[in-house]
Amino acid sequence: VQLQACGGGLVQPGGSLRLSCAASGSIFVINVMGWYRQAPGKQRELVATINSAGSTHYAESVEGRFTISRDNAKNLAYLRVNNLKPEDTAVYYCNADVRRSSIDYFQWYWGKGTQVTVSS
């Protein structure tokens, strides 16, 4: 199972981006998909998660500005990030709780991150 995140870039404060995460490989079903971020010198932190039914959870710092969504049929997750602030600068990672077959357990997989830099 591979996860590929993309969509990062350099934006000015107040700007927006849409991050995408594509899961591929041997996938039977995906339960939760999530976005995390890690700023320089800081620990990786949760940004948002979404389960297969569409229920979402957000970190307090991004509530109201970020929106997570997913396309279950295509094994895709998105993170719409609005009103970006310099403190949102970080590498953004996606992860997914994947069951590879009907007899496998769920297992977490991580993708390589995509850099988001917010600066004027």
Side-chain angles (χ1 to χ4, degrees), residues 48-69:
T49 61
I50 183 168
N51 67 15
S52 57
S55 294
T56 59
H57 170 76
Y58 296 92
E60 188 174 334
S61 60
V62 306
E63 186 87 51
R65 298 188 298 124
F66 291 10
T67 302
I68 189 171
S69 60

Side-chain angles (χ1 to χ4, degrees), residues 67-79:
T67 302
I68 189 171
S69 60
R70 65 189 281 179
D71 183 332
N72 290 333
K74 297 181 179 179
N75 295 327
L76 294 169
Y78 305 99
L79 186 70

Side-chain angles (χ1 to χ4, degrees), residues 3-92:
L3 296 180
Q4 179 66 51
C6 63
L10 172 63
V11 296
Q12 293 184 342
S16 299
L17 288 171
R18 190 179 82 155
L19 309 183
S20 299
C21 174
S24 62
S26 179
I27 298 172
F28 178 66
V29 67
I30 300 176
N31 182 16
V32 177
M33 298 187 78
W35 287 94
Y36 288 71
R37 67 185 181 185
Q38 187 166 18
K42 294 187 177 181
Q43 290 188 331
R44 190 173 297 188
E45 64 176 2
L46 170 70
V47 175
T49 61
I50 183 168
N51 67 15
S52 57
S55 294
T56 59
H57 170 76
Y58 296 92
E60 188 174 334
S61 60
V62 306
E63 186 87 51
R65 298 188 298 124
F66 291 10
T67 302
I68 189 171
S69 60
R70 65 189 281 179
D71 183 332
N72 290 333
K74 297 181 179 179
N75 295 327
L76 294 169
Y78 305 99
L79 186 70
R80 177 70 180 181
V81 296
N82 294 327
N83 191 21
L84 282 162
K85 305 175 181 181
E87 52 263 40
D88 294 318
T89 295
V91 177
Y92 284 70

